[in-house]
């Protein structure tokens, strides 16, 4: 099934510039491994970014600098510059039938059968993934088929990439590879679609804010 929920331009450009924290990069790379459309957009972003960088370095500041840069970017017959990978990179060759694409696979340490799930006490289970950025919280979340997660809003950004099953949030349905964004302006209660457990990669940069008092009491123990 075709992916319908894609990466934003802003995230793609930041990813290609190497300016994303590791957790966000991992989520972006995971989507890219599953989405040919965003891989093409990512190559364009890298090519334009590389040309901008090259032009800024080589063109002396002058009144017409901007025109010169734009002329060179629009110039014909130029090869896209090679960029140096600084992020976890997608490896489309291993996506497809394998449930976990690289680079996510190496973070999880095997396939999904090998995951050591920890109960969250609400039906759902998680596996926290170790990153070294000190800025993001990264986890795999497994939600039983048809079950909702507790109602919550956010103190920061949340990015979810569905890996298997489906996630239903209001009118939107997210399938394998689809990305969902949420922030302080969003209060929601996503649920796994029927028939299959939903496993997704979830990245946040601040603790969630739960509506339920019980969940708020459990939160320090769940580190969610
Ligand atoms: Zn995409």
């Amino acid at each position: 099934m075709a992916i319908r929920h894609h990466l934003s331009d802003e995230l793609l450009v930041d990813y290609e510039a190497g300016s994303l924290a590791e957790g966000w990069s991992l989520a972006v790379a995971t989507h890219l491994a599953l989405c040919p459309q965003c891989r093409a957009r990512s190559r364009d972003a890298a090519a334009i970014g590389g040309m901008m960088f090259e032009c800024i370095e080589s063109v002396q500041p002058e009144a017409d600098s901007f025109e010169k840069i734009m002329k060179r970017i629009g110039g014909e017959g130029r090869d896209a510059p090679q960029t140096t990978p600084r992020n976890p990179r997608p490896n489309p060759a291993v996506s497809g039938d394998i449930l976990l694409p690289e680079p996510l696979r190496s973070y999880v340490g095997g396939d999904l059968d090998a995951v050591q799930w920890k109960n969250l006490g609400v039906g759902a289970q998680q596996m926290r993934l170790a990153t070294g950025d000190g800025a993001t919280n990264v986890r795999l979340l497994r939600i039983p088929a048809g079950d909702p997660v507790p109602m919550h809003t956010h103190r920061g950004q949340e990015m979810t990439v569905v890996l298997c099953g489906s996630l239903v949030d209001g009118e939107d349905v997210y399938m394998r590879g689809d990305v969902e964004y949420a922030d302080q302006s969003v209060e929601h209660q996503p649920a796994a679609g029927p028939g299959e457990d939903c496993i997704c990669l979830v990245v946040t940069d601040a603790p969630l804010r739960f509506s339920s008092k019980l969940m708020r009491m459990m939160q320090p123990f769940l580190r969610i």
Side-chain angles (χ1 to χ4, degrees):
M1 184 174 288
I3 289 175
R4 290 189 302 166
H5 301 271
H6 297 276
L7 299 170
S8 66
D9 289 341
E10 191 183 11
L11 259 182
L12 268 182
V13 169
D14 286 349
Y15 174 76
E16 288 302 336
S19 57
L20 290 179
E22 185 183 352
W24 303 122
S25 284
L26 177 60
V28 169
T30 299
H31 176 84
L32 287 176
L34 299 171
C35 181
Q37 198 176 325
C38 283
R39 283 204 296 279
R41 291 171 61 217
S42 175
R43 281 192 292 273
D44 291 347
I48 291 171
M51 284 184 206
M52 286 291 279
F53 185 70
E54 195 179 284
C55 290
I56 288 163
E57 279 206 319
S58 63
V59 175
Q60 292 300 311
E62 292 173 27
D64 62 348
S65 291
F66 180 74
E67 276 77 3
K68 279 189 180 174
I69 290 171
M70 293 315 287
K71 210 169 168 182
R72 290 188 65 181
I73 289 172
E76 290 176 7
R78 293 174 55 83
D79 293 330
Q82 297 298 309
T83 54
T84 308
R86 280 171 288 180
N87 293 323
R89 306 298 296 182
N91 181 356
V94 298
S95 67
D97 291 331
I98 297 173
L99 207 49
L100 293 182
E102 283 292 2
L104 180 59
R105 195 175 170 80
S106 50
Y107 279 80
V108 175
D111 59 24
L112 284 175
D113 292 336
V115 169
Q116 304 281 312
W117 295 105
K118 290 211 163 58
N119 285 326
L120 285 170
V122 290
Q125 298 173 305
Q126 71 168 351
M127 178 201 186
R128 290 166 52 82
L129 304 185
T131 57
D133 63 19
T136 59
N137 198 331
V138 183
R139 70 190 74 235
L140 289 183
L141 195 62
R142 179 179 198 137
I143 311 164
D147 280 8
V149 300
M151 177 75 80
H152 65 275
T153 182
H154 316 84
R155 291 182 170 87
Q157 306 288 317
E158 178 184 77
M159 184 172 168
T160 303
V161 183
V162 174
L163 298 167
C164 79
S166 60
L167 193 67
V168 181
D169 194 352
E171 308 240 305
D172 293 314
V173 178
Y174 300 84
M175 308 294 289
R176 176 168 165 82
D178 279 328
V179 178
E180 180 181 30
Y181 301 104
D183 61 15
Q184 298 94 326
S185 67
V186 176
E187 184 173 30
H188 64 168
Q189 186 172 29
E196 191 180 1
D197 289 0
C198 177
I199 297 177
C200 45
L201 173 68
V202 183
V203 182
T204 52
D205 58 4
L208 301 180
R209 191 190 295 271
F210 288 100
S211 309
S212 140
K213 191 175 176 185
L214 182 61
M215 278 306 295
R216 290 200 296 275
M217 285 167 65
M218 287 163 62
Q219 204 166 359
F221 305 102
L222 303 176
R223 299 173 70 191
I224 193 167

